[in-house]
Amino acid sequence: MYFCLFGYLSYFFCDCLYIIVWFFLFPIYLKRYYQRVFKKYVNENFKDRAGIVLSIAFKENALEIVSENIGKSEFNFSSFKNISEIENYFFIDVKASGNFMIPKAKINNVEAVKNKLKTIAEKQGIEFISELDWKWK
C-alpha cells in the first residue's frame, strides 16, 4: 500500500514541476514563435514593397509620396486617423488604406518632421501618440 501511494505522489510532483517549468518557459517560446511567424508573413506578402525608396513632401493640405518605380500619390490630411511615434519610427494611420511607416533613421531633420506632424494632428483634431519607450513584448 505504501509503494502505491509513493508512486502516485511522484507522478503528482512530476506534473507540478512540469506545470511550473511550462508556466515560465511558454511565454518565451510563444514570443519567439510569433516573431518567426510574422517575419515569414511579412517577407512572403510584402516582398515587392520592401526596399522601395520613397520621397515624402508635406503640401498645404496633403501628404505627397513619390516613388521612381511606382509613381506619385497624395493623401489629404483629413484622411488621417492618428499619428503615432515610437523610438525609431513615425506611423500615420489613414482611414481608407492602412498606414505609413516613416523610419526616423532616414530623415535628415527628425524634429522638424515631428513638429510638422504635431501641427497636422492639431489642425485636423486627431491624436498624436508618442510612445518613445515602446518595446515589442
Side-chain angles (χ1 to χ4, degrees):
M1 187 86 170
Y2 176 74
F3 181 85
C4 234
L5 182 61
F6 182 72
Y8 289 127
L9 283 177
S10 67
Y11 287 132
F12 175 74
F13 288 123
C14 287
D15 287 347
C16 287
L17 180 65
Y18 176 74
I19 290 169
I20 291 169
V21 168
W22 187 251
F23 180 77
F24 288 108
L25 293 181
F26 183 72
I28 296 169
Y29 163 77
L30 197 61
K31 175 183 173 182
R32 290 183 181 162
Y33 171 78
Y34 279 130
Q35 286 177 340
R36 279 196 322 267
V37 167
F38 289 136
K39 282 181 185 179
K40 182 179 177 184
Y41 177 81
V42 168
N43 289 337
E44 287 177 0
N45 294 306
F46 298 105
K47 62 184 172 191
D48 296 334
R49 297 181 190 182
I52 296 175
V53 178
L54 302 172
S55 298
I56 298 174
F58 294 102
K59 290 189 168 185
E60 188 173 328
N61 292 317
L63 177 70
E64 181 182 67
I65 301 173
V66 180
S67 171
E68 294 176 5
N69 302 334
I70 297 173
K72 178 176 161 181
S73 298
E74 274 191 23
F75 294 89
N76 291 332
F77 295 149
S78 61
S79 68
F80 293 176
K81 275 200 261 184
N82 64 38
I83 300 171
S84 303
E85 175 190 18
I86 61 173
E87 183 180 2
N88 298 319
Y89 296 94
F90 290 109
F91 297 98
I92 302 173
D93 196 9
V94 181
K95 292 176 184 172
S97 64
N99 60 24
F100 299 112
M101 180 176 67
I102 304 170
K104 289 182 179 180
K106 303 291 182 180
I107 300 172
N108 294 334
N109 190 349
V110 176
E111 282 302 314
V113 172
K114 181 178 180 176
N115 291 334
K116 180 65 176 175
L117 291 173
K118 279 186 176 182
T119 304
I120 292 168
E122 288 173 9
K123 284 183 180 178
Q124 297 301 317
I126 59 174
E127 190 175 12
F128 185 89
I129 304 165
S130 183
E131 295 183 4
L132 298 176
D133 58 345
W134 182 88
K135 299 279 186 223
W136 175 268
K137 294 181 181 181

PDB file of all heavy atoms in Angstrom, residues 114-135:
ATOM      1  N   LYS A 114       8.706  65.927 -36.841  1.00  0.00           N
ATOM      2  CA  LYS A 114       7.857  65.708 -35.659  1.00  0.00           C
ATOM      3  C   LYS A 114       6.968  66.918 -35.410  1.00  0.00           C
ATOM      4  O   LYS A 114       5.768  66.779 -35.160  1.00  0.00           O
ATOM      5  CB  LYS A 114       8.724  65.416 -34.442  1.00  0.00           C
ATOM      6  CG  LYS A 114       7.938  65.153 -33.189  1.00  0.00           C
ATOM      7  CD  LYS A 114       8.859  64.813 -32.036  1.00  0.00           C
ATOM      8  CE  LYS A 114       8.084  64.541 -30.761  1.00  0.00           C
ATOM      9  NZ  LYS A 114       8.954  64.128 -29.654  1.00  0.00           N
ATOM     10  N   ASN A 115       7.537  68.103 -35.478  1.00  0.00           N
ATOM     11  CA  ASN A 115       6.751  69.324 -35.274  1.00  0.00           C
ATOM     12  C   ASN A 115       5.683  69.487 -36.346  1.00  0.00           C
ATOM     13  O   ASN A 115       4.555  69.906 -36.058  1.00  0.00           O
ATOM     14  CB  ASN A 115       7.659  70.547 -35.226  1.00  0.00           C
ATOM     15  CG  ASN A 115       8.526  70.565 -33.978  1.00  0.00           C
ATOM     16  OD1 ASN A 115       8.170  69.986 -32.958  1.00  0.00           O
ATOM     17  ND2 ASN A 115       9.665  71.222 -34.078  1.00  0.00           N
ATOM     18  N   LYS A 116       6.021  69.163 -37.594  1.00  0.00           N
ATOM     19  CA  LYS A 116       5.049  69.253 -38.688  1.00  0.00           C
ATOM     20  C   LYS A 116       3.902  68.264 -38.462  1.00  0.00           C
ATOM     21  O   LYS A 116       2.730  68.609 -38.638  1.00  0.00           O
ATOM     22  CB  LYS A 116       5.741  68.978 -40.033  1.00  0.00           C
ATOM     23  CG  LYS A 116       4.832  69.057 -41.214  1.00  0.00           C
ATOM     24  CD  LYS A 116       4.304  70.452 -41.432  1.00  0.00           C
ATOM     25  CE  LYS A 116       3.469  70.518 -42.696  1.00  0.00           C
ATOM     26  NZ  LYS A 116       2.844  71.803 -42.882  1.00  0.00           N
ATOM     27  N   LEU A 117       4.229  67.035 -38.047  1.00  0.00           N
ATOM     28  CA  LEU A 117       3.195  66.037 -37.786  1.00  0.00           C
ATOM     29  C   LEU A 117       2.310  66.435 -36.602  1.00  0.00           C
ATOM     30  O   LEU A 117       1.097  66.223 -36.630  1.00  0.00           O
ATOM     31  CB  LEU A 117       3.824  64.664 -37.554  1.00  0.00           C
ATOM     32  CG  LEU A 117       4.477  64.012 -38.782  1.00  0.00           C
ATOM     33  CD1 LEU A 117       5.214  62.750 -38.384  1.00  0.00           C
ATOM     34  CD2 LEU A 117       3.440  63.719 -39.852  1.00  0.00           C
ATOM     35  N   LYS A 118       2.899  67.034 -35.575  1.00  0.00           N
ATOM     36  CA  LYS A 118       2.111  67.523 -34.441  1.00  0.00           C
ATOM     37  C   LYS A 118       1.169  68.638 -34.881  1.00  0.00           C
ATOM     38  O   LYS A 118       0.013  68.697 -34.461  1.00  0.00           O
ATOM     39  CB  LYS A 118       3.027  68.026 -33.330  1.00  0.00           C
ATOM     40  CG  LYS A 118       3.587  66.938 -32.459  1.00  0.00           C
ATOM     41  CD  LYS A 118       4.358  67.544 -31.308  1.00  0.00           C
ATOM     42  CE  LYS A 118       4.848  66.475 -30.356  1.00  0.00           C
ATOM     43  NZ  LYS A 118       5.562  67.041 -29.210  1.00  0.00           N
ATOM     44  N   THR A 119       1.656  69.529 -35.726  1.00  0.00           N
ATOM     45  CA  THR A 119       0.829  70.620 -36.237  1.00  0.00           C
ATOM     46  C   THR A 119      -0.343  70.075 -37.051  1.00  0.00           C
ATOM     47  O   THR A 119      -1.476  70.543 -36.904  1.00  0.00           O
ATOM     48  CB  THR A 119       1.677  71.576 -37.105  1.00  0.00           C
ATOM     49  OG1 THR A 119       2.782  72.046 -36.333  1.00  0.00           O
ATOM     50  CG2 THR A 119       0.855  72.744 -37.604  1.00  0.00           C
ATOM     51  N   ILE A 120      -0.064  69.083 -37.892  1.00  0.00           N
ATOM     52  CA  ILE A 120      -1.131  68.460 -38.689  1.00  0.00           C
ATOM     53  C   ILE A 120      -2.172  67.822 -37.761  1.00  0.00           C
ATOM     54  O   ILE A 120      -3.376  67.974 -37.968  1.00  0.00           O
ATOM     55  CB  ILE A 120      -0.539  67.405 -39.650  1.00  0.00           C
ATOM     56  CG1 ILE A 120       0.311  68.087 -40.720  1.00  0.00           C
ATOM     57  CG2 ILE A 120      -1.640  66.563 -40.287  1.00  0.00           C
ATOM     58  CD1 ILE A 120       1.160  67.136 -41.540  1.00  0.00           C
ATOM     59  N   ALA A 121      -1.705  67.118 -36.733  1.00  0.00           N
ATOM     60  CA  ALA A 121      -2.625  66.469 -35.792  1.00  0.00           C
ATOM     61  C   ALA A 121      -3.504  67.497 -35.089  1.00  0.00           C
ATOM     62  O   ALA A 121      -4.709  67.281 -34.921  1.00  0.00           O
ATOM     63  CB  ALA A 121      -1.833  65.647 -34.778  1.00  0.00           C
ATOM     64  N   GLU A 122      -2.918  68.599 -34.674  1.00  0.00           N
ATOM     65  CA  GLU A 122      -3.695  69.643 -34.005  1.00  0.00           C
ATOM     66  C   GLU A 122      -4.729  70.263 -34.941  1.00  0.00           C
ATOM     67  O   GLU A 122      -5.884  70.462 -34.566  1.00  0.00           O
ATOM     68  CB  GLU A 122      -2.767  70.728 -33.464  1.00  0.00           C
ATOM     69  CG  GLU A 122      -1.957  70.306 -32.265  1.00  0.00           C
ATOM     70  CD  GLU A 122      -0.930  71.365 -31.857  1.00  0.00           C
ATOM     71  OE1 GLU A 122      -0.966  72.485 -32.411  1.00  0.00           O
ATOM     72  OE2 GLU A 122      -0.100  71.049 -30.990  1.00  0.00           O
ATOM     73  N   LYS A 123      -4.324  70.570 -36.168  1.00  0.00           N
ATOM     74  CA  LYS A 123      -5.239  71.193 -37.125  1.00  0.00           C
ATOM     75  C   LYS A 123      -6.387  70.255 -37.507  1.00  0.00           C
ATOM     76  O   LYS A 123      -7.506  70.706 -37.716  1.00  0.00           O
ATOM     77  CB  LYS A 123      -4.485  71.620 -38.390  1.00  0.00           C
ATOM     78  CG  LYS A 123      -3.659  72.859 -38.210  1.00  0.00           C
ATOM     79  CD  LYS A 123      -2.999  73.251 -39.509  1.00  0.00           C
ATOM     80  CE  LYS A 123      -2.151  74.499 -39.331  1.00  0.00           C
ATOM     81  NZ  LYS A 123      -1.460  74.870 -40.587  1.00  0.00           N
ATOM     82  N   GLN A 124      -6.100  68.971 -37.623  1.00  0.00           N
ATOM     83  CA  GLN A 124      -7.122  68.013 -38.031  1.00  0.00           C
ATOM     84  C   GLN A 124      -7.935  67.477 -36.858  1.00  0.00           C
ATOM     85  O   GLN A 124      -8.900  66.752 -37.052  1.00  0.00           O
ATOM     86  CB  GLN A 124      -6.483  66.834 -38.786  1.00  0.00           C
ATOM     87  CG  GLN A 124      -5.807  67.219 -40.073  1.00  0.00           C
ATOM     88  CD  GLN A 124      -6.762  67.879 -41.046  1.00  0.00           C
ATOM     89  OE1 GLN A 124      -7.891  67.448 -41.217  1.00  0.00           O
ATOM     90  NE2 GLN A 124      -6.322  68.948 -41.684  1.00  0.00           N
ATOM     91  N   GLY A 125      -7.506  67.801 -35.647  1.00  0.00           N
ATOM     92  CA  GLY A 125      -8.222  67.332 -34.468  1.00  0.00           C
ATOM     93  C   GLY A 125      -8.062  65.843 -34.226  1.00  0.00           C
ATOM     94  O   GLY A 125      -8.966  65.183 -33.732  1.00  0.00           O
ATOM     95  N   ILE A 126      -6.896  65.308 -34.596  1.00  0.00           N
ATOM     96  CA  ILE A 126      -6.631  63.886 -34.382  1.00  0.00           C
ATOM     97  C   ILE A 126      -5.560  63.738 -33.306  1.00  0.00           C
ATOM     98  O   ILE A 126      -4.908  64.706 -32.916  1.00  0.00           O
ATOM     99  CB  ILE A 126      -6.199  63.171 -35.690  1.00  0.00           C
ATOM    100  CG1 ILE A 126      -4.934  63.805 -36.272  1.00  0.00           C
ATOM    101  CG2 ILE A 126      -7.338  63.192 -36.699  1.00  0.00           C
ATOM    102  CD1 ILE A 126      -4.366  63.076 -37.459  1.00  0.00           C
ATOM    103  N   GLU A 127      -5.383  62.538 -32.862  1.00  0.00           N
ATOM    104  CA  GLU A 127      -4.468  62.270 -31.757  1.00  0.00           C
ATOM    105  C   GLU A 127      -3.035  62.073 -32.265  1.00  0.00           C
ATOM    106  O   GLU A 127      -2.816  61.387 -33.257  1.00  0.00           O
ATOM    107  CB  GLU A 127      -4.942  61.017 -31.019  1.00  0.00           C
ATOM    108  CG  GLU A 127      -4.245  60.749 -29.729  1.00  0.00           C
ATOM    109  CD  GLU A 127      -4.857  59.560 -29.006  1.00  0.00           C
ATOM    110  OE1 GLU A 127      -5.659  58.821 -29.603  1.00  0.00           O
ATOM    111  OE2 GLU A 127      -4.502  59.383 -27.839  1.00  0.00           O
ATOM    112  N   PHE A 128      -2.084  62.687 -31.573  1.00  0.00           N
ATOM    113  CA  PHE A 128      -0.662  62.438 -31.796  1.00  0.00           C
ATOM    114  C   PHE A 128      -0.180  61.611 -30.612  1.00  0.00           C
ATOM    115  O   PHE A 128      -0.126  62.088 -29.493  1.00  0.00           O
ATOM    116  CB  PHE A 128       0.139  63.736 -31.902  1.00  0.00           C
ATOM    117  CG  PHE A 128       1.584  63.510 -32.248  1.00  0.00           C
ATOM    118  CD1 PHE A 128       1.987  63.447 -33.559  1.00  0.00           C
ATOM    119  CD2 PHE A 128       2.537  63.337 -31.252  1.00  0.00           C
ATOM    120  CE1 PHE A 128       3.318  63.227 -33.889  1.00  0.00           C
ATOM    121  CE2 PHE A 128       3.859  63.112 -31.561  1.00  0.00           C
ATOM    122  CZ  PHE A 128       4.258  63.062 -32.889  1.00  0.00           C
ATOM    123  N   ILE A 129       0.152  60.351 -30.883  1.00  0.00           N
ATOM    124  CA  ILE A 129       0.544  59.411 -29.831  1.00  0.00           C
ATOM    125  C   ILE A 129       2.057  59.295 -29.830  1.00  0.00           C
ATOM    126  O   ILE A 129       2.657  58.929 -30.839  1.00  0.00           O
ATOM    127  CB  ILE A 129      -0.087  58.034 -30.072  1.00  0.00           C
ATOM    128  CG1 ILE A 129      -1.604  58.158 -30.170  1.00  0.00           C
ATOM    129  CG2 ILE A 129       0.313  57.058 -28.976  1.00  0.00           C
ATOM    130  CD1 ILE A 129      -2.285  56.947 -30.756  1.00  0.00           C
ATOM    131  N   SER A 130       2.671  59.589 -28.692  1.00  0.00           N
ATOM    132  CA  SER A 130       4.120  59.484 -28.563  1.00  0.00           C
ATOM    133  C   SER A 130       4.441  58.433 -27.503  1.00  0.00           C
ATOM    134  O   SER A 130       4.189  58.645 -26.316  1.00  0.00           O
ATOM    135  CB  SER A 130       4.713  60.830 -28.180  1.00  0.00           C
ATOM    136  OG  SER A 130       6.127  60.737 -28.117  1.00  0.00           O
ATOM    137  N   GLU A 131       4.968  57.298 -27.941  1.00  0.00           N
ATOM    138  CA  GLU A 131       5.370  56.207 -27.041  1.00  0.00           C
ATOM    139  C   GLU A 131       6.823  55.858 -27.322  1.00  0.00           C
ATOM    140  O   GLU A 131       7.134  54.850 -27.951  1.00  0.00           O
ATOM    141  CB  GLU A 131       4.467  54.996 -27.239  1.00  0.00           C
ATOM    142  CG  GLU A 131       3.038  55.230 -26.855  1.00  0.00           C
ATOM    143  CD  GLU A 131       2.172  53.995 -26.996  1.00  0.00           C
ATOM    144  OE1 GLU A 131       2.696  52.916 -27.325  1.00  0.00           O
ATOM    145  OE2 GLU A 131       0.958  54.119 -26.788  1.00  0.00           O
ATOM    146  N   LEU A 132       7.709  56.709 -26.846  1.00  0.00           N
ATOM    147  CA  LEU A 132       9.135  56.542 -27.148  1.00  0.00           C
ATOM    148  C   LEU A 132       9.752  55.334 -26.443  1.00  0.00           C
ATOM    149  O   LEU A 132      10.811  54.863 -26.859  1.00  0.00           O
ATOM    150  CB  LEU A 132       9.900  57.810 -26.783  1.00  0.00           C
ATOM    151  CG  LEU A 132       9.454  59.044 -27.574  1.00  0.00           C
ATOM    152  CD1 LEU A 132      10.186  60.277 -27.075  1.00  0.00           C
ATOM    153  CD2 LEU A 132       9.674  58.842 -29.059  1.00  0.00           C
ATOM    154  N   ASP A 133       9.113  54.812 -25.402  1.00  0.00           N
ATOM    155  CA  ASP A 133       9.663  53.656 -24.687  1.00  0.00           C
ATOM    156  C   ASP A 133       8.969  52.355 -25.088  1.00  0.00           C
ATOM    157  O   ASP A 133       9.125  51.336 -24.427  1.00  0.00           O
ATOM    158  CB  ASP A 133       9.547  53.865 -23.176  1.00  0.00           C
ATOM    159  CG  ASP A 133       8.135  54.095 -22.721  1.00  0.00           C
ATOM    160  OD1 ASP A 133       7.265  54.386 -23.574  1.00  0.00           O
ATOM    161  OD2 ASP A 133       7.872  53.972 -21.504  1.00  0.00           O
ATOM    162  N   TRP A 134       8.229  52.358 -26.206  1.00  0.00           N
ATOM    163  CA  TRP A 134       7.508  51.160 -26.652  1.00  0.00           C
ATOM    164  C   TRP A 134       8.507  50.078 -27.049  1.00  0.00           C
ATOM    165  O   TRP A 134       9.504  50.327 -27.713  1.00  0.00           O
ATOM    166  CB  TRP A 134       6.619  51.505 -27.845  1.00  0.00           C
ATOM    167  CG  TRP A 134       5.819  50.351 -28.336  1.00  0.00           C
ATOM    168  CD1 TRP A 134       4.598  49.968 -27.907  1.00  0.00           C
ATOM    169  CD2 TRP A 134       6.177  49.423 -29.360  1.00  0.00           C
ATOM    170  NE1 TRP A 134       4.164  48.867 -28.589  1.00  0.00           N
ATOM    171  CE2 TRP A 134       5.132  48.495 -29.486  1.00  0.00           C
ATOM    172  CE3 TRP A 134       7.304  49.265 -30.174  1.00  0.00           C
ATOM    173  CZ2 TRP A 134       5.156  47.446 -30.394  1.00  0.00           C
ATOM    174  CZ3 TRP A 134       7.335  48.218 -31.065  1.00  0.00           C
ATOM    175  CH2 TRP A 134       6.257  47.323 -31.180  1.00  0.00           C
ATOM    176  N   LYS A 135       8.227  48.858 -26.638  1.00  0.00           N
ATOM    177  CA  LYS A 135       9.053  47.696 -26.995  1.00  0.00           C
ATOM    178  C   LYS A 135       8.159  46.559 -27.430  1.00  0.00           C
ATOM    179  O   LYS A 135       7.045  46.408 -26.966  1.00  0.00           O
ATOM    180  CB  LYS A 135       9.886  47.215 -25.780  1.00  0.00           C
ATOM    181  CG  LYS A 135      10.845  48.233 -25.246  1.00  0.00           C
ATOM    182  CD  LYS A 135      12.098  48.259 -26.053  1.00  0.00           C
ATOM    183  CE  LYS A 135      13.094  49.179 -25.397  1.00  0.00           C
ATOM    184  NZ  LYS A 135      13.788  50.020 -26.279  1.00  0.00           N
TER     185      LYS A 135
END
